[in-house]
Amino acid sequence: MEIDREALINRMGGEEAVSKMDHEARADAVEDFMADKLDKEILARRAKKKYPTVAEIEEQIETRDFRRGVGKLFRATPKRLGFDDELTGVKVNRLPPMPERPTLADFFELRFNPAGHLLQSARLAKKRGDSEPVILACLLHDIGNSLIRVDHGYWGAQLTEPYVSEEATFAIRYHQALRFYADPSVNYEYPKRYYELFGEDYVPPPYIKAAYEHARNHKWYMSARKVTMNDLYAFDPSEDVSIDEFRDIIGRHFKQPKEGLGYDNTPVSHMWRSMIKPDSPL
Ligand SMILES: [Fe+2]
Ligand SMILES: [Fe+2]
């Protein structure tokens, strides 16, 4: 690897700073400089690389020690990098205990944190003047990912169904199918990120196509479509949104059970409990 001497000296704080450094500090600085340069070159090469095919993605299955569909709470992922399908050797963290009667906001703070994607999507919905059920659906649209990622729209809709309006449940469930289908009337395009995630030649399976066709003709089509429109594929790490911004909307549109989520004896309580204690062996 070639070293640009001037760039290196500048990076080290200029000629004068370098002259005051001892031999070891200089060696460390050169190593850092070269490591960064290498990373930049790898990223540039990746950016030029063509998208994988479905067959290439299938080939990767046996290279992982996890399955891609597993919930985010159940495996380690490097935060905020967006490369969460790569093997990293990162370990899971110890989760903080949850209160006896957990609320939705507690899940955001103690289990989904930082939940930047959900919070930024909901903020975007708010900025665009979408209705409160749509803002709530944006806030919750990928909530199923913490438990299980495959078919996350269906899991998310099921998790929230006892607590939110039918419209919000519909929007959460069908955003999964709609995101694969463009709608030029609202400038929604197929997300480029999916070429990377699913393969450039990916064709959604028949049940997704059928779900799309059902949703397309439904009275709440636009509510589900808006979730896909506020779904951000490029996250802004500088925008740190707090759940506090949505406490009023949650208060008006999410029926918080008095026993706490997980302990209210609904058909989905065990699913919330699984997120309360994902380290339980059985
Ligand atoms: Fe989603
Ligand atoms: Fe999303």
Side-chain angles (χ1 to χ4, degrees), residues 141-142 152 175 179 231:
H141 78 280
D142 284 342
H152 73 289
H175 94 273
R179 71 207 160 121
D231 211 341

Side-chain angles (χ1 to χ4, degrees), residues 117-118 141-143 145 152-153 172 175-176 179 194 227-228 231 233:
H117 174 61
L118 295 177
H141 78 280
D142 284 342
I143 208 172
N145 282 352
H152 73 289
I172 296 168
H175 94 273
Q176 183 186 330
R179 71 207 160 121
Y194 287 177
V227 172
T228 69
D231 211 341
Y233 295 97

Side-chain angles (χ1 to χ4, degrees), residues 167-236:
E167 180 186 356
T169 306
F170 180 92
I172 296 168
R173 179 171 292 122
Y174 286 99
H175 94 273
Q176 183 186 330
L178 293 191
R179 71 207 160 121
F180 292 113
Y181 298 90
D183 183 344
S185 77
V186 289
N187 295 325
Y188 178 82
E189 291 173 357
Y190 185 86
K192 295 223 168 24
R193 175 147 163 72
Y194 287 177
Y195 293 124
E196 190 71 52
L197 272 183
F198 294 92
E200 61 181 358
D201 50 344
Y202 178 72
V203 178
Y207 81 94
I208 289 290
K209 188 163 181 272
Y212 161 69
E213 280 159 6
H214 170 71
R216 192 76 190 81
N217 298 309
H218 196 279
K219 63 175 171 178
W220 287 323
Y221 165 69
M222 208 30 90
S223 307
R225 173 53 77 197
K226 281 187 170 155
V227 172
T228 69
M229 289 160 67
N230 295 319
D231 211 341
L232 298 157
Y233 295 97
F235 309 125
D236 179 1

Side-chain angles (χ1 to χ4, degrees), residues 11 34-46:
R11 160 83 175 264
M34 292 183 55
D36 279 1
K37 193 163 185 279
L38 179 67
D39 279 353
K40 262 189 210 153
E41 283 175 12
I42 290 174
L43 289 173
R45 211 174 320 128
R46 270 190 206 165

Side-chain angles (χ1 to χ4, degrees), residues 80 105 108-109 112-127 135 139 232 235-247:
R80 295 172 185 267
F108 268 85
E109 287 176 329
F112 312 149
N113 186 44
H117 174 61
L118 295 177
L119 292 160
Q120 287 185 23
S121 298
R123 179 182 272 183
L124 187 57
K126 215 174 174 183
K127 267 194 206 156
I135 298 170
L139 184 68
L232 298 157
F235 309 125
D236 179 1
S238 65
E239 193 174 343
D240 202 349
V241 188
S242 160
I243 190 66
D244 292 340
E245 210 175 284
F246 304 99
R247 281 186 196 269

